[in-house]
Amino acid sequence: MYVGALTLDILLGDVRSLKQKRSVVRPIIAEVQRRFPAVAVAETGHLDLHRRTEIGIAVVSATAANCGAVMDDCERLVAGRPEIELLSARQRLYHEDED
C-alpha cells in the first residue's frame, strides 16, 4: 500500500479579503474532488493570508506508479487554472513498510 502526499503552494490573483480567497479556493478544491473522487483534498496552509494558500492532496494506491500518476494529474489540474499561480508542488510517497 502506498500513500502519496501532494502539497501545492499557490499565489492567488486579485484577492483582497479572506472572503474573496474562499470564493477562489473552494471551487479549486471542489474540482479536484469531482475529478478525483478517491483523493482527499483540503486547504492546509496560509489560512490567515488572503493572497496565498496551500492545498494538500492525499492519495492511497496499491502501486507507486498509480499514486504518482494521480498526484501528477491533480497538480496539472490545479496548475491549469488561470486565476492562480502555482508557486511550488511537493510530492512525497510513503510505503506501508516505512517507519
Side-chain angles (χ1 to χ4, degrees):
M1 181 84 53
Y2 292 88
V3 177
L6 172 62
T7 305
L8 304 171
D9 189 9
I10 297 171
L11 177 65
L12 304 173
D14 187 27
V15 174
R16 301 187 193 282
S17 70
L18 292 176
K19 185 176 181 179
Q20 284 182 321
K21 176 184 179 176
R22 284 192 303 274
S23 72
V24 174
V25 173
R26 281 184 180 167
I28 293 171
I29 290 173
E31 177 70 8
V32 172
Q33 288 173 331
R34 187 184 70 73
R35 293 273 307 270
F36 304 98
V39 305
V41 59
E43 185 178 10
T44 57
H46 306 302
L47 301 176
D48 294 333
L49 301 175
H50 64 273
R51 291 212 55 227
R52 292 276 299 274
T53 191
E54 180 183 88
I55 294 177
I57 299 172
V59 181
V60 178
S61 179
T63 67
N66 185 60
C67 218
V70 171
M71 288 190 293
D72 289 343
D73 290 345
C74 289
E75 181 181 336
R76 272 193 296 279
L77 175 66
V78 173
R81 298 196 58 111
E83 70 272 22
I84 61 108
E85 179 181 345
L86 183 59
L87 299 176
S88 70
R90 295 178 306 279
Q91 290 187 12
R92 175 72 199 258
L93 191 61
Y94 302 90
H95 189 267
E96 66 183 339
D97 294 334
E98 289 182 13
D99 290 333

